[in-house]
Amino acid sequence: MAGAITHDNDQPAAGGRQSGPLIVTEDADLLDDLLRLCAAAGATPEVHHGVPERGGGWEAAPLVLVGDDAVRRVRGAARRRGVVLVGRDQDDSGVWRRAVEIGADHVLMLPDGEQWLVDRIADVAEGVGRPALTVGVIGGRGGAGASTLACALAVTSAREGLRTLLVDADPLGGGLDVLLGGETADGLRWPAFAASRGRVGGGALEESLPKLHSLRVLSWDRGDCVAVPPQAVRAVLAAARRRGGAVVVDLPRRIDDGVAEVLAQLDVGILVVPGELRAVAAAGRVASAVGMVLRDLRVAVRGPYTPGLDDHEVARLLNLPLAGEVPVESALSRPHEGKAPPGAAARGPLARFCTMFWERALAEAGSV
Protein backbone atom coordinates (compact mmCIF):
# COMPACT_ATOMS: atom_id res chain seq x y z
CA MET A 1 0.00 0.00 0.00
CA ALA A 2 1.15 3.55 -0.71
CA GLY A 3 1.88 5.66 2.34
CA ALA A 4 4.53 7.51 4.25
CA ILE A 5 6.10 5.51 7.06
CA THR A 6 8.00 7.79 9.39
CA HIS A 7 10.09 7.05 12.43
CA ASP A 8 10.37 8.69 15.80
CA ASN A 9 13.57 10.53 14.88
CA ASP A 10 12.02 12.11 11.77
CA GLN A 11 11.64 15.87 11.76
CA PRO A 12 8.17 17.46 11.81
CA ALA A 13 6.83 19.23 8.77
CA ALA A 14 7.54 22.91 8.31
CA GLY A 15 5.53 24.97 10.77
CA GLY A 16 5.40 22.08 13.27
CA ARG A 17 2.06 20.71 12.06
CA GLN A 18 1.45 17.83 9.68
CA SER A 19 -1.42 17.93 7.22
CA GLY A 20 -2.26 14.20 7.32
CA PRO A 21 -3.39 11.98 10.18
CA LEU A 22 -1.17 10.11 12.62
CA ILE A 23 -1.67 6.33 12.57
CA VAL A 24 -0.64 4.30 15.62
CA THR A 25 -0.74 0.52 15.12
CA GLU A 26 1.39 -2.62 14.70
CA ASP A 27 -1.42 -4.57 13.05
CA ALA A 28 -0.20 -4.98 9.46
CA ASP A 29 -3.65 -5.74 8.03
CA LEU A 30 -5.23 -2.79 9.81
CA LEU A 31 -2.39 -0.55 8.66
CA ASP A 32 -2.94 -1.60 5.05
CA ASP A 33 -6.62 -0.66 5.33
CA LEU A 34 -5.88 2.70 6.95
CA LEU A 35 -3.26 3.57 4.35
CA ARG A 36 -5.72 2.67 1.63
CA LEU A 37 -8.36 4.96 3.15
CA CYS A 38 -5.85 7.78 3.52
CA ALA A 39 -4.91 7.42 -0.14
CA ALA A 40 -8.59 7.56 -1.11
CA ALA A 41 -8.93 10.79 0.87
CA GLY A 42 -5.82 12.34 -0.67
CA ALA A 43 -3.88 12.44 2.61
CA THR A 44 -0.35 11.28 3.50
CA PRO A 45 -0.19 9.96 7.08
CA GLU A 46 2.56 9.42 9.58
CA VAL A 47 2.73 5.90 10.99
CA HIS A 48 4.12 4.89 14.40
CA HIS A 49 3.94 1.83 16.61
CA GLY A 50 3.31 3.95 19.69
CA VAL A 51 3.19 7.59 20.82
CA PRO A 52 5.84 9.47 18.77
CA GLU A 53 8.92 10.25 20.83
CA ARG A 54 9.64 13.57 19.18
CA GLY A 55 7.97 16.51 20.89
CA GLY A 56 4.65 17.61 19.49
CA GLY A 57 4.06 14.63 17.22
CA TRP A 58 1.03 13.37 19.11
CA GLU A 59 -0.34 16.81 19.92
CA ALA A 60 0.28 18.38 16.49
CA ALA A 61 -1.43 15.77 14.30
CA PRO A 62 -4.84 17.03 13.11
CA LEU A 63 -6.29 13.51 13.51
CA VAL A 64 -5.01 10.42 15.33
CA LEU A 65 -6.09 6.92 14.29
CA VAL A 66 -5.26 4.41 17.03
CA GLY A 67 -5.52 0.72 16.21
CA ASP A 68 -7.21 -1.36 18.88
CA ASP A 69 -3.93 -3.27 19.24
CA ALA A 70 -2.13 -0.07 20.33
CA VAL A 71 -4.35 1.06 23.21
CA ARG A 72 -1.86 -0.08 25.85
CA ARG A 73 0.97 1.83 24.18
CA VAL A 74 -0.89 5.16 24.02
CA ARG A 75 -2.68 4.97 27.36
CA GLY A 76 -0.36 7.51 28.98
CA ALA A 77 -0.41 10.04 26.15
CA ALA A 78 -1.70 13.56 26.71
CA ARG A 79 -5.44 13.90 26.25
CA ARG A 80 -6.45 15.67 23.07
CA ARG A 81 -9.34 15.98 20.64
CA GLY A 82 -9.47 14.16 17.31
CA VAL A 83 -8.53 10.65 18.47
CA VAL A 84 -10.33 7.74 16.77
CA LEU A 85 -10.03 4.18 18.06
CA VAL A 86 -10.20 1.80 15.08
CA GLY A 87 -11.01 -1.89 15.38
CA ARG A 88 -12.66 -4.78 13.55
CA ASP A 89 -14.55 -6.85 16.13
CA GLN A 90 -18.15 -5.66 16.07
CA ASP A 91 -18.99 -7.82 19.08
CA ASP A 92 -16.21 -6.53 21.34
CA SER A 93 -18.05 -4.58 24.06
CA GLY A 94 -14.76 -3.78 25.79
CA VAL A 95 -13.72 -1.43 22.99
CA TRP A 96 -15.77 1.38 24.55
CA ARG A 97 -13.91 1.06 27.85
CA ARG A 98 -10.58 1.18 26.01
CA ALA A 99 -11.74 4.25 24.09
CA VAL A 100 -12.43 6.02 27.37
CA GLU A 101 -9.00 5.03 28.67
CA ILE A 102 -7.24 6.88 25.85
CA GLY A 103 -9.74 9.74 25.54
CA ALA A 104 -10.93 8.81 22.05
CA ASP A 105 -13.67 10.93 20.48
CA HIS A 106 -14.95 8.09 18.30
CA VAL A 107 -14.90 4.32 18.05
CA LEU A 108 -14.83 3.07 14.46
CA MET A 109 -15.26 -0.47 13.23
CA LEU A 110 -14.03 -1.51 9.80
CA PRO A 111 -15.23 -2.14 7.19
CA ASP A 112 -18.59 -0.56 8.10
CA GLY A 113 -17.13 2.83 8.97
CA GLU A 114 -14.86 3.25 5.94
CA GLN A 115 -16.80 6.04 4.23
CA TRP A 116 -17.10 8.06 7.45
CA LEU A 117 -13.37 7.72 7.99
CA VAL A 118 -12.50 8.71 4.42
CA ASP A 119 -14.62 11.84 4.81
CA ARG A 120 -12.99 12.70 8.13
CA ILE A 121 -9.46 12.21 6.75
CA ALA A 122 -10.33 14.28 3.67
CA ASP A 123 -11.57 17.08 5.93
CA VAL A 124 -8.17 17.04 7.62
CA ALA A 125 -6.33 17.05 4.30
CA GLU A 126 -8.36 20.00 3.02
CA GLY A 127 -8.08 21.97 6.24
CA VAL A 128 -11.84 22.39 6.51
CA GLY A 129 -12.97 25.47 8.40
CA ARG A 130 -16.16 27.48 8.29
CA PRO A 131 -18.30 26.36 5.32
CA ALA A 132 -19.11 28.84 2.59
CA LEU A 133 -22.08 31.13 3.01
CA THR A 134 -24.37 29.62 0.39
CA VAL A 135 -27.03 31.76 -1.27
CA GLY A 136 -29.62 30.61 -3.79
CA VAL A 137 -31.41 32.96 -6.19
CA ILE A 138 -34.70 32.00 -7.83
CA GLY A 139 -37.16 33.91 -9.99
CA GLY A 140 -40.73 34.42 -8.87
CA ARG A 141 -41.69 34.14 -12.53
CA GLY A 142 -39.89 33.74 -15.82
CA GLY A 143 -37.74 36.69 -16.77
CA ALA A 144 -37.58 38.06 -13.24
CA GLY A 145 -33.83 38.66 -13.46
CA ALA A 146 -32.71 35.93 -11.05
CA SER A 147 -29.76 34.76 -13.16
CA THR A 148 -28.46 38.28 -13.55
CA LEU A 149 -28.77 38.95 -9.82
CA ALA A 150 -26.98 35.65 -9.06
CA CYS A 151 -24.10 36.69 -11.33
CA ALA A 152 -23.96 40.15 -9.78
CA LEU A 153 -23.84 38.69 -6.27
CA ALA A 154 -20.98 36.40 -7.25
CA VAL A 155 -19.02 39.13 -9.06
CA THR A 156 -19.44 41.45 -6.06
CA SER A 157 -18.38 38.75 -3.60
CA ALA A 158 -15.22 38.03 -5.58
CA ARG A 159 -14.42 41.72 -5.83
CA GLU A 160 -14.67 41.94 -2.02
CA GLY A 161 -11.98 39.27 -1.74
CA LEU A 162 -14.08 36.22 -0.86
CA ARG A 163 -13.37 32.86 -2.47
CA THR A 164 -16.46 32.64 -4.67
CA LEU A 165 -18.13 29.90 -6.69
CA LEU A 166 -21.14 30.55 -8.92
CA VAL A 167 -23.25 27.45 -9.56
CA ASP A 168 -25.73 27.20 -12.42
CA ALA A 169 -28.46 24.82 -11.26
CA ASP A 170 -30.73 25.51 -14.24
CA PRO A 171 -29.82 23.22 -17.16
CA LEU A 172 -32.32 24.97 -19.43
CA GLY A 173 -31.12 28.47 -18.71
CA GLY A 174 -28.52 28.69 -21.45
CA GLY A 175 -25.46 28.66 -19.19
CA LEU A 176 -24.22 31.28 -16.75
CA ASP A 177 -20.80 31.09 -18.41
CA VAL A 178 -22.48 32.74 -21.43
CA LEU A 179 -23.86 35.52 -19.24
CA LEU A 180 -20.33 36.08 -17.92
CA GLY A 181 -18.82 36.01 -21.40
CA GLY A 182 -16.88 32.78 -20.79
CA GLU A 183 -18.65 30.09 -22.79
CA THR A 184 -15.35 29.13 -24.45
CA ALA A 185 -13.29 29.19 -21.24
CA ASP A 186 -11.42 26.01 -20.35
CA GLY A 187 -12.79 23.97 -17.49
CA LEU A 188 -15.38 21.36 -16.59
CA ARG A 189 -19.16 21.78 -16.77
CA TRP A 190 -21.94 19.90 -14.96
CA PRO A 191 -22.04 16.82 -17.25
CA ALA A 192 -18.46 15.98 -16.20
CA PHE A 193 -19.71 15.43 -12.64
CA ALA A 194 -22.72 13.27 -13.47
CA ALA A 195 -20.98 10.13 -12.20
CA SER A 196 -19.83 11.69 -8.92
CA ARG A 197 -20.63 9.67 -5.82
CA GLY A 198 -19.63 9.97 -2.18
CA ARG A 199 -17.15 12.74 -1.57
CA VAL A 200 -15.75 15.17 -4.14
CA GLY A 201 -12.50 16.94 -3.25
CA GLY A 202 -13.14 20.65 -2.74
CA GLY A 203 -9.74 21.77 -3.97
CA ALA A 204 -9.86 19.54 -7.04
CA LEU A 205 -13.35 20.79 -7.86
CA GLU A 206 -12.31 24.42 -7.63
CA GLU A 207 -9.23 23.96 -9.81
CA SER A 208 -11.21 22.09 -12.48
CA LEU A 209 -13.75 24.87 -13.12
CA PRO A 210 -13.51 27.88 -15.43
CA LYS A 211 -12.24 31.03 -13.73
CA LEU A 212 -14.08 34.14 -14.87
CA HIS A 213 -13.90 37.60 -13.31
CA SER A 214 -11.94 36.28 -10.29
CA LEU A 215 -14.53 33.62 -9.45
CA ARG A 216 -15.08 29.98 -10.35
CA VAL A 217 -18.16 29.01 -12.36
CA LEU A 218 -19.91 25.65 -12.55
CA SER A 219 -22.24 25.93 -15.53
CA TRP A 220 -23.88 23.76 -18.15
CA ASP A 221 -22.44 23.10 -21.56
CA ARG A 222 -24.40 23.19 -24.80
CA GLY A 223 -24.69 19.41 -25.07
CA ASP A 224 -27.65 17.10 -24.68
CA CYS A 225 -27.23 16.43 -20.94
CA VAL A 226 -29.87 18.36 -18.98
CA ALA A 227 -29.69 16.59 -15.62
CA VAL A 228 -27.25 15.01 -13.21
CA PRO A 229 -28.24 12.53 -10.48
CA PRO A 230 -29.25 14.07 -7.13
CA GLN A 231 -26.39 12.33 -5.33
CA ALA A 232 -23.92 13.99 -7.70
CA VAL A 233 -25.49 17.39 -7.05
CA ARG A 234 -25.23 16.77 -3.30
CA ALA A 235 -21.57 15.73 -3.49
CA VAL A 236 -20.49 18.61 -5.73
CA LEU A 237 -22.23 21.33 -3.75
CA ALA A 238 -20.94 19.92 -0.46
CA ALA A 239 -17.41 20.06 -1.88
CA ALA A 240 -17.93 23.66 -2.95
CA ARG A 241 -19.16 24.66 0.50
CA ARG A 242 -16.21 23.06 2.29
CA ARG A 243 -13.84 25.52 0.61
CA GLY A 244 -15.33 28.44 2.52
CA GLY A 245 -16.05 31.92 1.22
CA ALA A 246 -19.29 32.29 -0.73
CA VAL A 247 -21.28 30.03 -3.03
CA VAL A 248 -24.06 31.52 -5.16
CA VAL A 249 -26.55 29.22 -6.87
CA ASP A 250 -28.86 30.22 -9.72
CA LEU A 251 -31.96 28.06 -9.25
CA PRO A 252 -34.65 27.02 -11.74
CA ARG A 253 -38.29 27.59 -10.88
CA ARG A 254 -39.14 23.90 -10.95
CA ILE A 255 -38.27 21.79 -7.91
CA ASP A 256 -36.97 18.32 -8.78
CA ASP A 257 -34.79 15.95 -6.75
CA GLY A 258 -31.57 17.65 -7.81
CA VAL A 259 -32.84 21.12 -6.90
CA ALA A 260 -34.09 19.78 -3.56
CA GLU A 261 -30.51 18.68 -2.83
CA VAL A 262 -29.33 22.23 -3.50
CA LEU A 263 -32.06 23.79 -1.37
CA ALA A 264 -31.09 21.56 1.55
CA GLN A 265 -27.58 23.07 1.57
CA LEU A 266 -28.53 26.74 1.18
CA ASP A 267 -28.14 29.20 4.04
CA VAL A 268 -30.26 31.92 2.42
CA GLY A 269 -32.63 32.02 -0.53
CA ILE A 270 -33.55 35.13 -2.53
CA LEU A 271 -36.83 35.14 -4.45
CA VAL A 272 -36.68 37.80 -7.19
CA VAL A 273 -40.14 39.23 -7.87
CA PRO A 274 -41.13 41.98 -10.32
CA GLY A 275 -43.52 44.51 -8.80
CA GLU A 276 -46.67 43.37 -10.58
CA LEU A 277 -49.69 41.41 -9.36
CA ARG A 278 -49.31 38.41 -11.69
CA ALA A 279 -45.65 38.09 -10.72
CA VAL A 280 -46.59 38.17 -7.04
CA ALA A 281 -49.19 35.46 -7.61
CA ALA A 282 -46.67 33.27 -9.45
CA ALA A 283 -44.02 33.95 -6.81
CA GLY A 284 -46.39 32.76 -4.11
CA ARG A 285 -46.47 29.31 -5.68
CA VAL A 286 -42.70 29.23 -6.01
CA ALA A 287 -42.26 30.37 -2.40
CA SER A 288 -44.61 27.66 -1.19
CA ALA A 289 -42.60 24.93 -2.92
CA VAL A 290 -39.18 26.30 -1.97
CA GLY A 291 -40.26 26.96 1.62
CA MET A 292 -40.89 23.25 2.16
CA VAL A 293 -37.11 22.73 2.13
CA LEU A 294 -35.48 26.13 2.69
CA ARG A 295 -36.12 27.87 6.00
CA ASP A 296 -34.59 31.29 5.22
CA LEU A 297 -36.25 32.63 2.08
CA ARG A 298 -36.30 36.39 1.43
CA VAL A 299 -37.82 38.46 -1.34
CA ALA A 300 -35.99 40.96 -3.53
CA VAL A 301 -38.37 43.16 -5.49
CA ARG A 302 -37.72 44.73 -8.86
CA GLY A 303 -39.64 47.65 -10.31
CA PRO A 304 -41.40 49.18 -12.08
CA TYR A 305 -44.48 48.62 -9.96
CA THR A 306 -48.14 48.08 -10.64
CA PRO A 307 -50.07 50.98 -9.04
CA GLY A 308 -50.63 50.25 -5.37
CA LEU A 309 -47.56 48.04 -5.03
CA ASP A 310 -44.12 48.73 -3.64
CA ASP A 311 -41.36 46.49 -2.28
CA HIS A 312 -42.80 46.37 1.24
CA GLU A 313 -46.27 45.50 -0.03
CA VAL A 314 -44.90 42.68 -2.20
CA ALA A 315 -43.05 41.28 0.82
CA ARG A 316 -46.21 41.55 2.91
CA LEU A 317 -48.33 39.76 0.31
CA LEU A 318 -45.80 36.93 0.12
CA ASN A 319 -45.30 36.90 3.88
CA LEU A 320 -41.52 36.91 3.40
CA PRO A 321 -38.78 39.14 4.83
CA LEU A 322 -37.62 41.83 2.43
CA ALA A 323 -34.05 41.51 1.17
CA GLY A 324 -34.35 44.86 -0.58
CA GLU A 325 -35.34 46.52 -3.81
CA VAL A 326 -33.24 45.41 -6.75
CA PRO A 327 -32.21 48.56 -8.63
CA VAL A 328 -33.63 49.15 -12.07
CA GLU A 329 -30.58 48.69 -14.24
CA SER A 330 -30.32 47.87 -17.92
CA ALA A 331 -28.15 44.86 -17.07
CA LEU A 332 -31.19 43.15 -15.56
CA SER A 333 -33.23 43.13 -18.72
CA ARG A 334 -30.99 42.52 -21.72
CA PRO A 335 -28.26 40.10 -22.80
CA HIS A 336 -24.65 40.86 -22.02
CA GLU A 337 -23.11 40.06 -25.36
CA GLY A 338 -19.77 41.83 -25.43
CA LYS A 339 -20.53 43.73 -22.24
CA ALA A 340 -19.19 43.64 -18.71
CA PRO A 341 -20.91 41.09 -16.42
CA PRO A 342 -23.68 42.09 -14.02
CA GLY A 343 -22.31 43.88 -10.98
CA ALA A 344 -18.96 44.65 -12.61
CA ALA A 345 -19.37 48.41 -12.08
CA ALA A 346 -18.39 48.68 -8.42
CA ARG A 347 -20.21 51.97 -7.98
CA GLY A 348 -23.28 50.99 -9.96
CA PRO A 349 -26.64 50.55 -8.23
CA LEU A 350 -26.70 46.78 -8.71
CA ALA A 351 -23.23 46.35 -7.21
CA ARG A 352 -24.20 48.56 -4.27
CA PHE A 353 -27.29 46.43 -3.66
CA CYS A 354 -25.14 43.27 -3.71
CA THR A 355 -22.52 44.76 -1.42
CA MET A 356 -25.17 45.68 1.17
CA PHE A 357 -26.67 42.20 0.92
CA TRP A 358 -23.32 40.52 1.59
CA GLU A 359 -22.55 42.83 4.51
CA ARG A 360 -25.84 41.91 6.19
CA ALA A 361 -25.67 38.21 5.34
CA LEU A 362 -22.08 37.79 6.52
CA ALA A 363 -22.80 39.68 9.73
CA GLU A 364 -25.82 37.45 10.39
CA ALA A 365 -23.70 34.37 9.77
CA GLY A 366 -21.09 35.56 12.25
CA SER A 367 -18.41 35.74 9.56
CA VAL A 368 -17.33 39.28 10.27
Side-chain angles (χ1 to χ4, degrees), residues 127-181:
V128 171
R130 182 189 295 274
L133 178 59
T134 307
V135 178
V137 186
I138 187 169
R141 66 154 169 79
S147 295
T148 303
L149 180 57
C151 287
L153 285 168
V155 168
T156 304
S157 170
R159 185 170 53 241
E160 295 296 320
L162 287 176
R163 173 187 281 118
T164 304
L165 173 61
L166 176 61
V167 179
D168 185 354
D170 186 359
L172 303 181
L176 289 186
D177 53 353
V178 176
L179 191 57
L180 292 171

Side-chain angles (χ1 to χ4, degrees), residues 19-33:
S19 60
L22 170 67
I23 298 175
V24 182
T25 184
E26 285 187 310
D27 184 328
D29 292 335
L30 179 61
L31 177 58
D32 276 350
D33 283 337

Side-chain angles (χ1 to χ4, degrees), residues 83-298:
V83 176
V84 180
L85 180 58
V86 185
R88 296 180 182 278
D89 188 353
Q90 303 280 355
D91 298 322
D92 180 9
S93 59
V95 70
W96 300 101
R97 172 182 53 80
R98 295 191 293 277
V100 171
E101 290 176 359
I102 64 172
D105 297 329
H106 297 277
V107 172
L108 184 78
M109 291 297 171
L110 298 180
D112 291 354
E114 286 193 356
Q115 187 57 58
W116 181 91
L117 188 54
V118 169
D119 289 347
R120 185 71 181 271
I121 295 169
D123 284 343
V124 165
E126 288 188 355
V128 171
R130 182 189 295 274
L133 178 59
T134 307
V135 178
V137 186
I138 187 169
R141 66 154 169 79
S147 295
T148 303
L149 180 57
C151 287
L153 285 168
V155 168
T156 304
S157 170
R159 185 170 53 241
E160 295 296 320
L162 287 176
R163 173 187 281 118
T164 304
L165 173 61
L166 176 61
V167 179
D168 185 354
D170 186 359
L172 303 181
L176 289 186
D177 53 353
V178 176
L179 191 57
L180 292 171
E183 61 270 26
T184 62
D186 291 336
L188 300 182
R189 269 65 172 181
W190 265 118
F193 299 98
S196 297
R197 299 292 186 274
R199 183 188 178 99
V200 175
L205 171 68
E206 182 176 344
E207 292 300 317
S208 73
L209 300 176
K211 186 174 184 179
L212 304 170
H213 308 287
S214 300
L215 58 97
R216 298 286 179 171
V217 181
L218 176 54
S219 186
W220 291 87
D221 61 14
R222 265 50 69 184
D224 295 333
C225 178
V226 294
V228 297
Q231 56 267 37
V233 175
R234 181 192 317 128
V236 169
L237 190 57
R241 298 187 72 229
R242 286 196 302 271
R243 296 292 288 170
V247 174
V248 182
V249 186
D250 181 32
L251 293 160
R253 293 175 60 237
R254 71 184 190 287
I255 310 300
D256 57 20
D257 290 343
V259 174
E261 291 290 351
V262 176
L263 292 174
Q265 297 195 52
L266 294 182
D267 297 304
V268 181
I270 301 176
L271 180 65
V272 184
V273 183
E276 56 187 51
L277 286 175
R278 287 189 64 192
V280 174
R285 297 173 65 91
V286 176
S288 177
V290 171
M292 296 177 65
V293 182
L294 177 61
R295 296 179 59 185
D296 189 351
L297 180 63
R298 311 175 190 185

